[in-house]
Amino acid sequence: FSRWEVNLEGRVHVNVIKIFGVTGSSLLNKAKVYVGEVFCAQLFVQPKQHVWMVECGDAVGFSVSVVQDEGQLELCEVQVFGHYVMNGTLLTNVALQKNTQQSSTVSGGEAARAVDGHPNSVWARQTCTYTSNTANAYWMVNLLASYEIRTVVIHVSSNYNPALVAGAEVIAAGRWGSEVTCGQMMAEPGTFVYKIQCPPSTVASTVRVRHEKASLILCEVEVLATRESVNRVEDGLGWIISQGMNTEQSSVEGTALSENAVDGNYTQRHGSHGVQCAVTLHKTNSWWKVHFDEIKVVTRVVIYNRLDRYPERLNTANIYVSETFCGQVLYQKAQTVYTVDCDGIVGSEVVIRNDNGAIQLCEVEVRGHSVA
């Protein structure tokens, strides 16, 4: 693995990068060119070629880098053409080291390899995923928060028949179950990196790669989101750590199960279009809780109250991190969402208690992070 990088000393809208190599040298073959974290192009050496003109579209960043997965880099000159900008849309990879899953695993090609930060296209380097050749094979990353997604960059194996990637779909899904198909991969001989543009204003918390007819071998998947949407998440409060976790509650009214409060659906009307909230029976000492998979630092709890029936029942509900009191909800008639700051209390679960009656929770967001 080799890398060359230049700091542009400011935010630059890069139009073209002109790269000069050595005539007859193959050291730049398959090298990848980036503006910041935005993939621009992969170089391919042709006989007697020593100059490459790389068009980067609307890429904005503070640096330009050239990366070679295998072996050395040999650069004679790199010229960056563009202009400095005050704002510009910075993009950043929000998939790195996030939670992943896939339809099956073959030969040790675990799903997590596609977000390990090593886009090496050689299978023997053990940085690629591998699913079996079954109908509707898929790979998915959970971004743990919602971001404005612009581009998905997929690095496939150079040992993989390029024709097999044809037809693979990239799908971005939001918290409310909405899905957007960003595009399909089209096989291009000799191409091992694909850039899939998502439609404008695509907001998603998961990204899925799906193929109806072939295996998936993915060496890296980069999900490029706007820096502005990343800043909204990385505001010091950490990630959403409650979605999909195990839950329980003191009693159940009908089908209003405890897990409904961490299913990522923020509709605040129980039974609306099939939507379910978590609702206990109207008894004293009611409670609801979510268990984490490890000890967590909890920074904030956000409760989306039920609005269609008895919203006042949330009044004076107490919130605990394990056994430590965090705060109390005071019902306000015009208020629909309640935020309680827990200031970094450490625990293995969050508990919401109501001593006076039923608990009705349409969604609970617990934000925080692992213990350092």
Side-chain angles (χ1 to χ4, degrees), residues 23-24 45-50:
T23 303
V45 174
Q46 303 297 328
K48 299 182 180 181
Q49 184 178 8
H50 69 285

Side-chain angles (χ1 to χ4, degrees), residues 137-295:
Y138 76 89
W139 174 93
M140 186 175 75
V141 58
N142 184 344
L143 305 175
L144 302 178
S146 293
Y147 299 95
E148 183 182 352
I149 309 299
R150 292 292 181 86
T151 306
V152 179
V153 181
I154 300 176
H155 302 250
V156 299
S157 174
S158 57
N159 308 112
Y160 190 48
N161 181 353
L164 295 179
V165 306
E169 290 184 311
V170 177
I171 300 166
R175 292 178 175 174
W176 296 274
S178 59
E179 291 191 349
V180 174
T181 299
C182 294
Q184 282 191 334
M185 297 170 64
M186 306 300 293
E188 300 176 27
T191 298
F192 307 108
V193 185
Y194 295 84
K195 293 174 65 175
I196 307 297
Q197 304 290 340
C198 293
S201 302
T202 295
V203 177
S205 56
T206 65
V207 170
R208 186 166 79 254
V209 182
R210 181 179 65 190
H211 204 307
E212 294 183 353
K213 301 179 180 179
S215 302
L216 288 171
I217 303 180
L218 310 174
C219 298
E220 194 74 12
V221 178
E222 302 169 18
V223 180
L224 301 180
T226 62
R227 185 69 236 182
E228 180 183 3
S229 67
V230 173
N231 288 341
R232 289 198 296 267
V233 174
E234 297 176 350
D235 54 7
L237 295 173
W239 304 101
I240 297 173
I241 58 176
S242 51
Q243 283 189 4
M245 294 290 101
N246 292 328
T247 58
E248 58 179 315
Q249 61 192 36
S250 56
S251 59
V252 181
E253 181 184 90
T255 58
L257 303 175
S258 62
E259 58 261 36
N260 296 336
V262 293
D263 62 1
N265 193 315
Y266 290 76
T267 302
Q268 291 177 261
R269 296 184 182 277
H270 183 64
S272 176
H273 303 290
V275 172
Q276 297 288 309
C277 301
V279 183
T280 70
L281 297 175
H282 190 51
K283 297 181 177 181
T284 57
N285 301 317
S286 297
W287 53 264
W288 175 95
K289 64 176 66 175
V290 56
H291 303 277
F292 307 129
D293 52 4
E294 61 180 5
I295 300 295

Side-chain angles (χ1 to χ4, degrees), residues 117-129:
H118 301 291
N120 195 311
S121 62
V122 179
W123 167 257
R125 298 301 182 191
Q126 300 182 358
T127 64
C128 303
T129 72

